[in-house]
């Protein structure tokens, strides 16, 4: 999962090309002589997709192994170039955070922009690095990943107890915590399940 570029654009209502307000690219995984062409392609596709994303809408455009995600919030448009494996929900969560942060830092000053900005915006560069892991952008994905790790650890713990040669049957028989009824239930359940097991 990789994010190649994040851009902020001002969409023009008259149908003119959108204006780039901020741009962060990581083209290090491309060949040295391809990098300038890739940057130009990113700018071209960003303008094209932003121009065709109506205000208040989100869209994703597939191009080979990449997806271009776009979110236009009343003329302020965030664009993300991600590979095909980056989760869509995480991508739009990231674009939403980028727009929020841009408005917090710059307010409505973007509305008066008349030309592309060449000034770096450190937040966008940091976001490009930080959100390479989709779980950072999407808190639900992060929680799900933590739950999955906990479940794996739990299974490993039970397996390690059984791997030491201790049989669950002998533990049940020796346990003073279980009543006779619970021990009988365990042995009956085990007998019932044995008839159904496939070897």
């Amino acid at each position: 999962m990789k994010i190649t570029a994040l851009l902020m654009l001002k969409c023009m209502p008259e149908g003119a090309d959108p204006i780039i307000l901020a741009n962060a690219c990581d083209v290090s995984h491309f060949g040295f002589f391809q990098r300038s062409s890739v940057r130009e392609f990113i700018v071209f596709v960003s303008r094209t997709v932003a121009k065709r994303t109506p205000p208040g809408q989100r869209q994703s455009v597939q191009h080979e192994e990449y997806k271009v995600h776009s979110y236009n919030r009343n003329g302020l448009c965030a664009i993300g170039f991600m590979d095909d494996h980056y989760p869509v929900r995480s991508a739009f969560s990231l674009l939403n955070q980028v727009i929020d942060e841009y408005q917090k830092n710059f307010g409505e000053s973007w509305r008066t922009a008349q030309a592309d900005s060449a000034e770096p915006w450190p937040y966008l560069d940091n976001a490009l690095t930080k959100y390479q892991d989709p779980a950072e952008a999407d808190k639900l994905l992060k929680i799900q990943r933590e739950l999955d790790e906990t479940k794996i650890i739990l299974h490993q713990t039970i397996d390690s107890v059984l791997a030491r040669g201790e049989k669950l049957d002998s533990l049940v028989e020796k346990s003073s915590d279980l009543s006779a009824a619970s021990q009988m239930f365990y042995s009956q359940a085990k007998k019932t399940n044995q008839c159904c097991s496939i070897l």
Side-chain angles (χ1 to χ4, degrees), residues 98-119:
V98 168
I99 290 176
D100 288 343
E101 193 65 28
Y102 189 88
Q103 288 185 320
K104 189 165 72 173
N105 285 311
F106 301 103
E108 297 294 314
S109 65
W110 63 272
R111 293 188 186 276
T112 60
Q114 297 297 321
D116 290 348
S117 172
E119 287 187 37

Side-chain angles (χ1 to χ4, degrees), residues 67-181:
K67 277 191 181 165
V68 181
H69 301 285
S70 172
Y71 176 34
N72 184 340
R73 189 189 293 167
N74 300 321
L76 184 60
C77 189
I79 301 279
F81 282 76
M82 285 96 169
D83 69 5
D84 200 20
H85 303 292
Y86 202 90
V88 174
R89 192 174 82 201
S90 298
F92 284 117
S93 178
L94 168 57
L95 296 181
N96 194 41
Q97 289 175 26
V98 168
I99 290 176
D100 288 343
E101 193 65 28
Y102 189 88
Q103 288 185 320
K104 189 165 72 173
N105 285 311
F106 301 103
E108 297 294 314
S109 65
W110 63 272
R111 293 188 186 276
T112 60
Q114 297 297 321
D116 290 348
S117 172
E119 287 187 37
W121 181 32
Y123 173 81
L124 205 57
D125 293 318
N126 294 337
L128 186 64
T129 305
K130 179 181 179 183
Y131 296 118
Q132 292 295 334
D133 178 11
E136 291 295 324
D138 187 356
K139 299 302 178 196
L140 288 176
L141 184 64
K142 187 174 187 176
I143 292 168
Q144 182 63 45
R145 187 179 287 172
E146 289 172 0
L147 287 173
D148 290 344
E149 288 172 5
T150 304
K151 186 171 133 182
I152 290 168
I153 291 169
L154 178 64
H155 287 299
Q156 288 174 344
T157 305
I158 291 171
D159 290 341
S160 65
V161 167
L162 296 177
R164 283 184 278 179
E166 296 181 75
K167 300 238 184 241
L168 196 56
D169 296 338
S170 64
L171 291 175
V172 168
E173 289 172 12
K174 293 177 187 175
S175 175
S176 60
D177 294 334
L178 296 175
S179 66

Side-chain angles (χ1 to χ4, degrees), residues 9-14 16-21 47 102 108-118:
L9 295 98
K10 171 189 174 184
C11 292
M12 306 297 282
E14 305 85 38
D17 281 344
I19 295 170
I20 295 176
L21 303 170
R47 288 190 206 274
Y102 189 88
E108 297 294 314
S109 65
W110 63 272
R111 293 188 186 276
T112 60
Q114 297 297 321
D116 290 348
S117 172

